């Protein structure tokens, strides 16, 4: 049976237990090994081609990392980005809010999908854990949709 290499193990640990199908096959996993590990809960499917190691907890950060690996153009934004940036006066969602362009057909389950015509390169910040999060100004702007006026005013101050 295939084992995960030390370099991939470090990458998986850094990304909150999330790994892609491509990474596992590049590391020597066969389709039979993957199927065996999926059947026994060693790997838990999160999105198409993205898995969580069964012993890793299902956390908000792991869901964000999985969404970013499933759709490379996705940016965690709005109240989800506010949670990652530790903004105050914003509710803490359990589901990632993901921003993509209108021309993109991304993942649709397990996330709240947001679309925009204007996504600048400065709107995204790549973290070491594989999460691409909206920059603080873009996250603040996108929070306006999900919070009431009073909370948005407090957030702005």
């Amino acid at each position: 049976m295939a084992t995960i290499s030390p370099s991939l193990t470090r990458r998986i640990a850094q990304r909150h237990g999330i790994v892609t199908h491509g990474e596992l096959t590049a590391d020597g996993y066969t389709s039979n090994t993957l199927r065996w590990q999926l059947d026994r809960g060693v790997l838990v499917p999160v999105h198409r081609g993205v898995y969580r190691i069964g012993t890793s907890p299902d956390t908000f950060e792991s869901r964000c990392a999985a969404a970013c690996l499933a759709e490379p153009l996705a940016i965690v934004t709005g109240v989800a980005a506010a949670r990652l940036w530790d903004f105050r006066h914003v509710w803490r969602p359990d589901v990632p809010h993901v921003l993509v362009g209108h021309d993109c057909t991304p993942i649709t389950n397990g996330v709240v999908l947001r679309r925009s015509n204007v996504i600048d390169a400065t709107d995204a910040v790549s973290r070491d854990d594989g999460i691409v999060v909206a920059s603080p100004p873009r996250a603040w702007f996108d929070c306006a949709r999900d919070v009431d006026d009073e909370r948005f005013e407090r957030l702005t101050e």
Side-chain angles (χ1 to χ4, degrees):
M1 176 187 289
T3 59
I4 299 175
S5 68
S7 62
L8 183 56
T9 300
R10 283 189 296 277
R11 198 171 335 140
I12 293 169
Q14 190 175 25
R15 289 192 311 224
H16 310 280
I18 303 298
V19 65
T20 66
H21 178 84
E23 290 171 327
L24 289 170
T25 56
D27 209 43
Y29 274 61
T30 64
S31 58
N32 287 338
T33 303
L34 284 171
R35 193 174 318 109
W36 186 89
Q37 290 194 347
L38 285 165
D39 289 344
R40 283 155 184 81
V42 176
L43 294 174
V44 178
V46 182
H47 298 292
R48 184 182 185 123
V50 178
Y51 312 105
R52 180 175 46 82
I53 302 298
T55 56
S56 296
D58 180 18
T59 64
F60 177 71
E61 287 80 7
S62 71
R63 290 188 290 273
C64 289
C68 291
L69 285 173
E71 177 50 58
L73 299 176
I75 302 170
V76 178
T77 192
V79 292
R83 177 176 176 176
L84 293 172
W85 287 114
D86 288 327
F87 286 6
R88 294 183 351 207
H89 308 297
V90 179
W91 57 279
R92 298 172 58 84
D94 290 328
V95 177
H97 292 221
V98 176
L99 177 69
V100 295
H102 280 284
D103 58 341
C104 185
T105 306
I107 55 173
T108 55
N109 65 346
V111 299
V112 175
L113 191 61
R114 306 280 192 233
R115 293 185 182 269
S116 177
N117 287 332
V118 181
I119 301 174
D120 192 65
T122 60
D123 289 340
V125 176
S126 296
R127 296 177 14 156
D128 291 338
D129 60 1
I131 298 173
V132 180
V133 63
S135 65
R138 179 65 192 233
W140 168 81
F141 176 80
D142 290 342
C143 279
R145 182 175 197 267
D146 295 315
V147 298
D148 60 28
D149 291 342
E150 183 179 325
R151 281 187 188 266
F152 192 68
E153 185 177 340
R154 280 187 274 159
L155 175 64
T156 301
E157 290 173 358

